Amino acid sequence: MSDKKVKTSSGIEIKEVYSEPKALEMPGEFPFTRGIQKDMYRGRLWTMRQYAGFSTAAESNKRYHYLLSQGTTGLSVAFDLPTQIGYDSDHVMSEGEVGKVGVAIDSLRDMEILFDGIDLQKVSSSMTINATAPILLAMYISLAKKQGADLKQISGTIQNDILKEYAARGTYIYPPKPSMRLITDVFEYCSKELPKWNTISISGYHIREAGSTAVQELAFTLANGKEYLKAALDKGLDINVFAKRLSFFFNCHNNFFEEIAKFRAARRMWAKISQSLGATDPSAQKLRFHTQTGGSTLTAQQPLNNIIRVTNQAMAAVLGGTQSLHTNGYDEALSLPTEEAAKVALRTQQIIAFESGVTETVDPLAGSYFVESLTDEIEAAAWKYIDAIDARGGAVAAIEAGYIQSEIAASAYEYQKDIENKARILVGVNKYEDTEGLRPEVFRVDDSIRKIQTENLSSLKSDRDAAAVLNALSELTTAVRSGTNTMPFIINAVEAYATLGEIADAFRREFGEYQAQGL
């Protein structure tokens, strides 16, 4: 036996050999360690998504049609930073950012263009949006109504997870408590009007991108999820109804077995958390999740190596039982993905699905001494973090105290040190460097997009009924002050062609803006 010690990225020691068998529950049974469906991919493959959005709605619409023609089974919309933080494209704070990291959406008119020629009742759409999630959902609902869709049949997800924004990402607008109110307003509205819509995607992805370990990603994500359950219960909602439409969003990095074990542990832990808070319906206990391969694992050096990294990560996500998957383009460390890179990423999923054979049996690694033991160890380590968060009063209190942010920052620092001293090898970065490596063509968004959006906004404001906009915004403000569910009033404002910025500002005037506290 070797004396060498090997650890996962979360510091869990990996034994050289595992030899203790354990009894296993069946897939589709509580606590769902082996999968939420008894037949998993033999019954239905995961949804294959490609995250896309850039420039104007018209340009993004072209990419969506292309992806659908290539076999994408669900759309995933990226929004630019002004849209994410509630500024119209003509706002001074939007300068230099319009259309850069996602599509610019200023009003229902842009949403109409974004999904032109796409039947919302037939396509599942995921929207990565948080602080302004209720507004973008209102636009999607309004467009579905214009198409004549049955709202009870449209499906999709809004990220709508504001807690991780305070902890890891930063695209928040309002303070935590009013932000939680908006989230539970969405829960309540959709449970009645959009029963197939996932009202939140509780996101560990950005926690991991900020530098957390796999265990921290798991623990902090589930702690946030627990906070959302409690907030909805405090509002008087039925956990056996609203919890069925919660979903999760995890990252997948390069440590193959650690990621698989993380996903298995996540299902088991969430089943226990939801059950402890009163969920008795198995569908309200199941953790359903989307996975995206690790953006921060991609390298600008030797970018074609990223195809292998993404394949490794995608395979781990599938073996871990994901319900939905996005694979990154190999060039995303350099720019937004080119059309060619997006196609290679999609083909990666299709090859795994149809050629690898891993979909032919449920939880293929179940019973592996290593995987089962690692699942247990990751779960135990994650519970320690959740207990520490509970001791501080829950996720909101822990974020306000800076605890979660400090833990992530410490892990990110250690990771960077390991790269610099070569304790952690990144091929092409700190070993096997190649100064003559291929530099692929990169995708750039022109700065003229802001001018186009500003002109469109000016045209919109001259065409719309200004009195109807003012009336809708006034009614929304009244609803905010009275504690009434805001979603119907947001929809009314959207349908009057109030802009995203005007609606966000109505909330700003009532809620104020959150100022992060120094750690």
Side-chain angles (χ1 to χ4, degrees), residues 362-374:
V362 180
D363 195 17
L365 296 180
S368 157
Y369 299 137
F370 180 36
V371 171
E372 295 296 348
S373 295
L374 192 55

PDB file of all heavy atoms in Angstrom, residues 362-374:
ATOM      1  N   VAL A 362     -29.700   2.406 -14.998  1.00  0.00           N
ATOM      2  CA  VAL A 362     -29.879   3.500 -14.041  1.00  0.00           C
ATOM      3  C   VAL A 362     -28.735   3.491 -13.025  1.00  0.00           C
ATOM      4  O   VAL A 362     -28.386   2.448 -12.478  1.00  0.00           O
ATOM      5  CB  VAL A 362     -31.229   3.355 -13.307  1.00  0.00           C
ATOM      6  CG1 VAL A 362     -31.422   4.489 -12.308  1.00  0.00           C
ATOM      7  CG2 VAL A 362     -32.365   3.326 -14.318  1.00  0.00           C
ATOM      8  N   ASP A 363     -28.154   4.678 -12.788  1.00  0.00           N
ATOM      9  CA  ASP A 363     -27.102   4.838 -11.782  1.00  0.00           C
ATOM     10  C   ASP A 363     -26.023   3.766 -11.958  1.00  0.00           C
ATOM     11  O   ASP A 363     -25.810   2.927 -11.073  1.00  0.00           O
ATOM     12  CB  ASP A 363     -27.722   4.767 -10.379  1.00  0.00           C
ATOM     13  CG  ASP A 363     -26.775   5.287  -9.293  1.00  0.00           C
ATOM     14  OD1 ASP A 363     -25.793   5.982  -9.623  1.00  0.00           O
ATOM     15  OD2 ASP A 363     -27.019   4.976  -8.113  1.00  0.00           O
ATOM     16  N   PRO A 364     -25.322   3.768 -13.100  1.00  0.00           N
ATOM     17  CA  PRO A 364     -24.370   2.692 -13.413  1.00  0.00           C
ATOM     18  C   PRO A 364     -23.274   2.484 -12.375  1.00  0.00           C
ATOM     19  O   PRO A 364     -22.732   1.385 -12.268  1.00  0.00           O
ATOM     20  CB  PRO A 364     -23.760   3.133 -14.751  1.00  0.00           C
ATOM     21  CG  PRO A 364     -24.756   4.071 -15.335  1.00  0.00           C
ATOM     22  CD  PRO A 364     -25.389   4.770 -14.178  1.00  0.00           C
ATOM     23  N   LEU A 365     -22.945   3.514 -11.610  1.00  0.00           N
ATOM     24  CA  LEU A 365     -21.853   3.386 -10.651  1.00  0.00           C
ATOM     25  C   LEU A 365     -22.334   3.004  -9.249  1.00  0.00           C
ATOM     26  O   LEU A 365     -21.535   2.928  -8.317  1.00  0.00           O
ATOM     27  CB  LEU A 365     -21.059   4.693 -10.587  1.00  0.00           C
ATOM     28  CG  LEU A 365     -20.349   5.075 -11.893  1.00  0.00           C
ATOM     29  CD1 LEU A 365     -19.588   6.377 -11.724  1.00  0.00           C
ATOM     30  CD2 LEU A 365     -19.397   3.968 -12.333  1.00  0.00           C
ATOM     31  N   ALA A 366     -23.637   2.760  -9.097  1.00  0.00           N
ATOM     32  CA  ALA A 366     -24.160   2.349  -7.794  1.00  0.00           C
ATOM     33  C   ALA A 366     -23.467   1.070  -7.338  1.00  0.00           C
ATOM     34  O   ALA A 366     -23.246   0.151  -8.121  1.00  0.00           O
ATOM     35  CB  ALA A 366     -25.665   2.119  -7.881  1.00  0.00           C
ATOM     36  N   GLY A 367     -23.125   1.029  -6.058  1.00  0.00           N
ATOM     37  CA  GLY A 367     -22.474  -0.141  -5.515  1.00  0.00           C
ATOM     38  C   GLY A 367     -20.960  -0.091  -5.600  1.00  0.00           C
ATOM     39  O   GLY A 367     -20.272  -0.910  -4.985  1.00  0.00           O
ATOM     40  N   SER A 368     -20.427   0.872  -6.361  1.00  0.00           N
ATOM     41  CA  SER A 368     -18.984   1.074  -6.374  1.00  0.00           C
ATOM     42  C   SER A 368     -18.535   1.455  -4.975  1.00  0.00           C
ATOM     43  O   SER A 368     -19.064   2.393  -4.367  1.00  0.00           O
ATOM     44  CB  SER A 368     -18.621   2.197  -7.352  1.00  0.00           C
ATOM     45  OG  SER A 368     -17.375   2.768  -7.037  1.00  0.00           O
ATOM     46  N   TYR A 369     -17.582   0.715  -4.448  1.00  0.00           N
ATOM     47  CA  TYR A 369     -17.104   1.033  -3.096  1.00  0.00           C
ATOM     48  C   TYR A 369     -16.670   2.494  -3.009  1.00  0.00           C
ATOM     49  O   TYR A 369     -16.959   3.203  -2.040  1.00  0.00           O
ATOM     50  CB  TYR A 369     -15.924   0.126  -2.721  1.00  0.00           C
ATOM     51  CG  TYR A 369     -16.240  -1.345  -2.698  1.00  0.00           C
ATOM     52  CD1 TYR A 369     -15.353  -2.263  -3.240  1.00  0.00           C
ATOM     53  CD2 TYR A 369     -17.421  -1.815  -2.123  1.00  0.00           C
ATOM     54  CE1 TYR A 369     -15.629  -3.626  -3.225  1.00  0.00           C
ATOM     55  CE2 TYR A 369     -17.712  -3.171  -2.105  1.00  0.00           C
ATOM     56  CZ  TYR A 369     -16.809  -4.076  -2.653  1.00  0.00           C
ATOM     57  OH  TYR A 369     -17.082  -5.407  -2.632  1.00  0.00           O
ATOM     58  N   PHE A 370     -15.963   2.926  -4.031  1.00  0.00           N
ATOM     59  CA  PHE A 370     -15.455   4.295  -4.038  1.00  0.00           C
ATOM     60  C   PHE A 370     -16.583   5.315  -4.103  1.00  0.00           C
ATOM     61  O   PHE A 370     -16.669   6.231  -3.282  1.00  0.00           O
ATOM     62  CB  PHE A 370     -14.507   4.458  -5.233  1.00  0.00           C
ATOM     63  CG  PHE A 370     -13.900   5.833  -5.372  1.00  0.00           C
ATOM     64  CD1 PHE A 370     -13.553   6.596  -4.264  1.00  0.00           C
ATOM     65  CD2 PHE A 370     -13.643   6.357  -6.626  1.00  0.00           C
ATOM     66  CE1 PHE A 370     -12.981   7.857  -4.395  1.00  0.00           C
ATOM     67  CE2 PHE A 370     -13.075   7.610  -6.780  1.00  0.00           C
ATOM     68  CZ  PHE A 370     -12.749   8.358  -5.655  1.00  0.00           C
ATOM     69  N   VAL A 371     -17.480   5.178  -5.072  1.00  0.00           N
ATOM     70  CA  VAL A 371     -18.547   6.161  -5.274  1.00  0.00           C
ATOM     71  C   VAL A 371     -19.499   6.200  -4.077  1.00  0.00           C
ATOM     72  O   VAL A 371     -19.896   7.278  -3.621  1.00  0.00           O
ATOM     73  CB  VAL A 371     -19.306   5.883  -6.580  1.00  0.00           C
ATOM     74  CG1 VAL A 371     -20.550   6.766  -6.693  1.00  0.00           C
ATOM     75  CG2 VAL A 371     -18.395   6.126  -7.789  1.00  0.00           C
ATOM     76  N   GLU A 372     -19.859   5.045  -3.546  1.00  0.00           N
ATOM     77  CA  GLU A 372     -20.769   5.024  -2.403  1.00  0.00           C
ATOM     78  C   GLU A 372     -20.128   5.663  -1.173  1.00  0.00           C
ATOM     79  O   GLU A 372     -20.763   6.456  -0.466  1.00  0.00           O
ATOM     80  CB  GLU A 372     -21.207   3.589  -2.086  1.00  0.00           C
ATOM     81  CG  GLU A 372     -22.039   2.931  -3.175  1.00  0.00           C
ATOM     82  CD  GLU A 372     -23.372   3.598  -3.420  1.00  0.00           C
ATOM     83  OE1 GLU A 372     -23.807   4.446  -2.611  1.00  0.00           O
ATOM     84  OE2 GLU A 372     -24.013   3.278  -4.449  1.00  0.00           O
ATOM     85  N   SER A 373     -18.862   5.343  -0.933  1.00  0.00           N
ATOM     86  CA  SER A 373     -18.186   5.935   0.223  1.00  0.00           C
ATOM     87  C   SER A 373     -17.996   7.436   0.042  1.00  0.00           C
ATOM     88  O   SER A 373     -18.175   8.223   0.978  1.00  0.00           O
ATOM     89  CB  SER A 373     -16.825   5.262   0.440  1.00  0.00           C
ATOM     90  OG  SER A 373     -16.987   3.911   0.774  1.00  0.00           O
ATOM     91  N   LEU A 374     -17.650   7.848  -1.185  1.00  0.00           N
ATOM     92  CA  LEU A 374     -17.448   9.267  -1.456  1.00  0.00           C
ATOM     93  C   LEU A 374     -18.765  10.037  -1.326  1.00  0.00           C
ATOM     94  O   LEU A 374     -18.791  11.170  -0.820  1.00  0.00           O
ATOM     95  CB  LEU A 374     -16.851   9.440  -2.855  1.00  0.00           C
ATOM     96  CG  LEU A 374     -16.313  10.823  -3.229  1.00  0.00           C
ATOM     97  CD1 LEU A 374     -15.289  11.314  -2.225  1.00  0.00           C
ATOM     98  CD2 LEU A 374     -15.714  10.775  -4.637  1.00  0.00           C
TER      99      LEU A 374
END
